[in-house]
Amino acid sequence: MANNSEFSSKLGIIAATVGSAVGLGNIWRFPAETQANGGAAFLLIYVVCVLFFGIPVMLGEFVIGRAGRSDAINSYKKLSPDKPWWVAGLFGVVCSYLILTFYMVVSGWTMEYLYQSITGELFRPLEGVEEGSNVQFLQRMDEYVSGVWPPMIWTWINIAVCGLILSMGVQKGIEKASNIMMPMLFVILIVLCISAMTLPKASEGLAYFFNPDFSKITPKVWISALGQAFFSLSLGMGTMITYASYFKKDTNLMQTAVTVSGIGIFVAILVGMIIFPGVMSFGLEGESFKGSTLVFVTFPEIFNRMWCPQLWSILFFTLLAVAAITSSISISEVSIAYFCDHYGMKRKMATVIVMLPLMVLGALSSLSNGVLSDMTLFGFTIFSGCDALTADVIMPLGALIMSVFLGWFAPKNLIREQLTNGGKLKGYFVAPVIFLLKWVTPIVIVIILVTSLFT
Ligand code: TRP
């Protein structure tokens, strides 16, 4: 079955797609990965990955979604009715759900931190911890994340907010929310960036972030950068297929992909320009500066040393919550679209069916940071396992199957038809895109997957 929903305007399409792309991946995951992989060298490889792998794969998903005009699974079925390529779509639906289990939890943290910024609780010194010491925020984060009820309840609130937006539909829900939230995100980001430039050691932070040390580029940096590029552009999981099924017939796919990727890179750079000057200025390179808690520890540390900490942290956590919500809805939409299109289900019903089990899985994922932290498989908890499995394995695999399908097996003229809107647009980039999908993307992904499995 096909869907008949459509975004209403060009701006709405960009807002919703950027809303999906720019999320916790750019703000929470990116600085942590940059830090773990040698600073500026990582940024450089990340940009290369976005340009040469991200954009072609995004275009591929756009082509499938807009030509198939259906959810991730049924779009493949329409383009290739008697071959099992739809399995790639099934991967997408299952994996987007796995992503949601931890994504909703982290989104919940952002809401709690916003709430604590508003009440001022976040900056109240902890008992028994020396005031002004670096461990303040680290301990607060550890205690919060490993707690039982608060993170679980915020996860549920977050799922409910997303469910509400999604149940209102493609135009009145997704598009409208994105149109309001995305401009807000950019204003906040720029205000924070300007204020970071006034910090005492801003230039040292910028040097760490922008002067690459080429000796730091190892295979691991490539793997992480590719995973980060896919994650931050919402690729490999059917999200962009689903959103592209709501694009218009005359939407310029190339222009959209370039704009969205460009904005994605821009946001990641702005975030780096905020965090690294702060880190250098206040000597935070130590303990607090690592891993998934980074933005929840380092940012409050930075704000606490600035004039009016509450102001900055309210701005920042609003930014983070907004980015998380517009991305969460896009990930959830993959499953919702499937239930609507495949079973002809009403949107509200589909939303409930997707969101209710998520409340349970999200709660388990949240608990795996605390009371369930002993429940591990290959050293991963439910939470960290879902993150690693999706970003490092399933997402690249999804992108691999998709590019093999498009490069080698899809109907001959499909890509050209879609990228030129049936000949109306110039098509000089069609041949390079096909070349990349046919030869470069699959080979590089295989190399990276194999290296990461055996090293
Ligand atoms: N891109 C989003 C972020 O950076 C997350 C996201 C949305 C995503 N949809 C996705 C990641 C699909 C992978 C696949 O936070």
Side-chain angles (χ1 to χ4, degrees), residues 194-215:
I194 293 173
S195 98
M197 290 305 103
T198 65
L199 292 175
K201 289 192 183 161
S203 54
E204 280 173 42
L206 294 183
Y208 171 82
F209 189 46
F210 288 121
N211 284 345
D213 171 355
F214 291 98
S215 68

Side-chain angles (χ1 to χ4, degrees), residues 15-343:
T17 315
V18 170
S20 167
V22 172
L24 295 172
N26 299 61
I27 305 171
W28 163 69
R29 211 171 179 281
F30 177 76
E33 291 284 302
T34 307
Q35 158 68 14
N37 289 290
F42 181 79
L43 174 65
L44 184 74
I45 305 300
Y46 168 73
V47 172
V48 170
C49 286
V50 168
L51 295 180
F52 291 96
F53 309 117
I55 292 181
V57 171
M58 185 183 289
L59 280 172
E61 294 206 11
F62 283 175
V63 165
I64 293 175
R66 199 181 50 179
R69 281 227 155 275
S70 192
D71 63 277
I73 298 180
N74 284 296
S75 289
Y76 276 103
K77 279 195 183 153
K78 277 215 205 129
L79 297 177
S80 179
D82 20 73
K83 298 268 160 51
W85 293 106
W86 57 268
V87 169
L90 180 67
F91 257 51
V93 174
V94 173
C95 289
S96 63
Y97 213 73
L98 283 182
I99 293 188
L100 283 175
T101 60
F102 71 88
Y103 207 90
M104 289 293 188
V105 176
V106 183
S107 310
W109 298 348
T110 71
M111 288 186 173
E112 161 85 22
Y113 268 66
L114 175 58
Y115 172 75
Q116 287 197 13
S117 307
I118 295 170
T119 62
E121 175 63 28
L122 186 56
F123 296 101
R124 233 162 264 149
L126 287 177
E127 260 176 58
V129 179
E130 191 192 329
E131 203 170 327
S133 94
N134 280 1
V135 274
Q136 273 282 343
F137 292 101
L138 189 62
Q139 185 163 340
R140 187 180 282 279
M141 180 72 196
D142 277 347
E143 274 170 23
Y144 170 65
V145 164
S146 57
V148 173
W149 289 104
M152 201 149 84
I153 290 171
W154 283 106
T155 304
W156 287 336
I157 294 177
N158 185 52
I159 294 175
V161 170
C162 293
L164 198 69
I165 297 175
L166 285 158
S167 68
M168 291 194 264
V170 171
Q171 281 188 15
K172 295 212 181 82
I174 300 176
E175 183 173 350
K176 200 155 171 209
S178 310
N179 277 342
I180 299 171
M181 289 180 171
M182 290 329 279
M184 200 163 122
L185 182 140
F186 280 100
V187 173
I188 298 179
L189 205 53
I190 287 169
V191 170
L192 285 172
C193 191
I194 293 173
S195 98
M197 290 305 103
T198 65
L199 292 175
K201 289 192 183 161
S203 54
E204 280 173 42
L206 294 183
Y208 171 82
F209 189 46
F210 288 121
N211 284 345
D213 171 355
F214 291 98
S215 68
K216 296 223 166 109
I217 303 179
T218 59
K220 161 139 196 316
V221 171
W222 278 96
I223 295 167
S224 304
L226 189 74
Q228 176 62 21
F230 281 163
F231 192 90
S232 73
L233 294 177
S234 306
L235 300 175
M237 207 109 310
T239 305
M240 291 304 178
I241 299 184
T242 308
Y243 269 23
S245 75
Y246 308 139
F247 285 6
K248 291 165 172 300
K249 277 207 180 61
D250 63 353
T251 301
N252 184 332
L253 297 184
M254 186 68 187
Q255 204 181 55
T256 309
V258 171
T259 310
V260 173
S261 309
I263 295 179
I265 294 178
F266 180 65
V267 170
I269 289 181
L270 284 184
V271 171
M273 287 173 65
I274 298 170
I275 198 162
F276 296 111
V279 167
M280 293 296 166
S281 300
F282 305 122
L284 303 177
E285 295 93 333
E287 240 323 89
S288 70
F289 192 52
K290 67 171 200 286
S292 60
T293 52
L294 186 136
V295 299
F296 298 92
V297 177
T298 312
F299 275 102
E301 296 259 20
I302 295 172
F303 300 145
N304 203 16
R305 290 163 164 84
M306 287 164 67
W307 161 78
C308 197
Q310 248 178 302
L311 169 73
W312 304 113
S313 85
I314 290 174
L315 280 179
F316 177 72
F317 287 107
T318 307
L319 167 84
L320 208 54
V322 160
I325 288 174
T326 49
S327 297
S328 310
I329 57 178
S330 77
I331 314 178
S332 318
E333 180 64 15
V334 178
S335 306
I336 292 178
Y338 172 68
F339 281 108
C340 289
D341 291 359
H342 194 78
Y343 300 104

